[in-house]
Amino acid sequence: MLEPGRIIRLEDDAVVLLDQRRLPAEEAELVCRSSAEVAEAIRTLAVRGAPAIGIAAAYGYALAARCGEDLEAAVAVLAAARPTAVNAAWALEEMQRWCGDPAERARQIHAEEVERCRAMSAHAAALLQPGTRALTHCNAGGLATGGYGTAVGALRTAWEGGLLEHVLVDETRPLLQGARLTAWELEEAGIPHAVIADSAAGAMMARGDVDVVVTGADRIAANGDTANKIGTYSLAVLAAHHEIPFYVVAPSSTVDLATVSGDAIPIEERSGDEVTTRFAARNLAFDVTPAGLIAAIVTEAGVHRAPYSASLAGLVAA
Ligand code: MRU
């Protein structure tokens, strides 16, 4: 797995991140010296992926406390950086509840996320048959989680268990988290893979080249509706058409029981410049996959099946 401190860490006077915007060309660190700089790193995707956003927010809060910043203002700026992933709000609530040293709780949150990833990956890998050819979208790997990965964690565990043959990686337009980040992680792990254009997924399924689709999540509503990177919904529709199981792998910190259904999940719309600077553009960063298209949601607690309002009920991050 990727060494957690290589992805994100708290130092005495800074939060230090592996700058994901520059991968895979360059492994460069970004040093953030205030909560506002951490928020900017989150907003610009130097650090990204729901659990990693939560970890960065926790470290940003700890840094703010250490530097004597106004903590309410720090919470506001960190929570607003990316609205769809619920993990920042979750981590900031944890930090505000904590009575001890903020740095200690932030480091715990990081370690707990990595542990959750390992547990859910074992549960998810157990769903796969030997020889599985998987398709994944965006990056739900160690980079997105501070260490091991959710969907990519499941693929790592399946590979180590001899269950995985190959991974198709959606390039994930417009910011190419699949082609740049997931492919880089799979290469580092020695897992056979091939990047495909997002629009090729349906044809690959029709040819019989995909046994399972595995993705992460940014927010899972109480009824199982799941927000994830734009294009996930299309994949789930395609998977249903081809009778291919579509699994979501995510920690309990991504499950938002206070949000009743997908309609209430805030969807971030980013600058059209990320799509094209030549013409007018729309850039929805996430979509919502209805629970009915999801064969199972896998968390560290186990495999949850429909009806999700019952199987996710009472789930809390421990
Ligand atoms: O815009 P991003 O790169 O932060 O989007 C990330 C995703 O959509 C991931 O699939 C999700 O956050 C899960 S990461 C374990």
Side-chain angles (χ1 to χ4, degrees):
M1 86 169 184
L2 298 175
E3 171 57 36
R6 183 176 162 205
I7 301 165
I8 182 166
R9 64 182 182 276
L10 179 67
E11 294 191 344
D12 279 347
D13 58 352
V15 175
V16 181
L17 311 163
L18 179 59
D19 190 338
Q20 298 187 32
R21 298 167 300 191
R22 295 165 75 168
L23 287 170
E26 199 184 359
E27 280 185 52
E29 289 192 331
L30 178 70
V31 179
C32 303
R33 298 209 183 270
S34 66
S35 60
E37 287 185 15
V38 174
E40 181 65 3
I42 294 172
R43 203 186 57 73
T44 58
L45 274 64
V47 57
R48 43 138 308 277
I53 290 170
I55 295 162
Y59 281 147
Y61 182 99
L63 179 65
R66 201 170 270 180
C67 299
E69 289 182 31
D70 175 338
L71 288 180
E72 268 184 38
V75 167
V77 75
L78 288 163
R82 306 257 345 249
T84 301
V86 74
N87 298 61
W90 172 84
L92 289 165
E93 269 177 35
E94 288 289 308
M95 295 302 295
Q96 287 174 294
R97 251 203 303 270
W98 180 253
C99 297
D101 175 11
E104 184 190 338
R105 182 65 189 124
R107 291 195 176 102
Q108 275 174 8
I109 286 174
H110 189 173
E112 288 163 6
E113 284 297 10
V114 176
E115 273 171 40
R116 282 195 269 271
C117 281
R118 284 196 173 277
M120 76 186 74
S121 294
H123 295 309
L127 295 171
L128 307 184
Q129 306 301 317
T132 290
R133 296 153 311 153
L135 187 151
T136 191
H137 190 64
C138 195
N139 171 262
L143 291 166
T145 58
Y148 192 77
T150 59
V152 173
L155 297 174
R156 281 180 200 279
T157 304
W159 173 250
E160 284 159 14
L163 298 168
L164 184 68
E165 186 178 308
H166 189 265
V167 184
L168 290 175
V169 182
D170 266 1
E171 60 179 347
T172 316
R173 293 222 162 241
L175 295 179
L176 303 178
Q177 290 93 330
R180 293 186 303 107
L181 307 177
T182 299
W184 182 74
E185 287 198 36
L186 294 174
E187 183 183 74
E188 282 225 332
I191 299 175
H193 61 279
V195 176
I196 59 169
D198 298 332
S199 48
M204 301 299 282
M205 290 182 193
R207 289 163 60 107
D209 290 347
V210 180
D211 301 310
V212 65
V213 179
V214 192
T215 76
D218 277 78
R219 189 185 297 235
I220 300 172
N223 72 344
D225 290 351
T226 294
N228 193 49
K229 177 53 53 194
I230 192 77
T232 304
Y233 168 57
S234 321
L235 273 184
V237 172
L238 286 168
H241 179 76
H242 293 96
E243 299 183 350
I244 294 167
F246 180 92
Y247 296 128
V248 171
V249 187
S252 50
S253 52
T254 299
V255 177
D256 179 12
L257 295 177
T259 294
V260 179
S261 68
D263 300 344
I265 297 177
I267 297 296
E268 176 186 5
E269 183 156 2
R270 296 180 63 83
S271 166
D273 289 359
E274 290 177 349
V275 178
T276 174
T277 52
R278 171 66 177 80
F279 300 105
R282 293 286 306 276
N283 187 12
L284 286 181
F286 298 95
D287 56 29
V288 174
T289 298
L293 295 176
I294 301 172
I297 294 173
V298 185
T299 71
E300 73 275 13
V303 177
H304 310 263
R305 303 270 186 186
Y308 296 107
S309 47
S311 62
L312 293 176
L315 189 66
V316 280

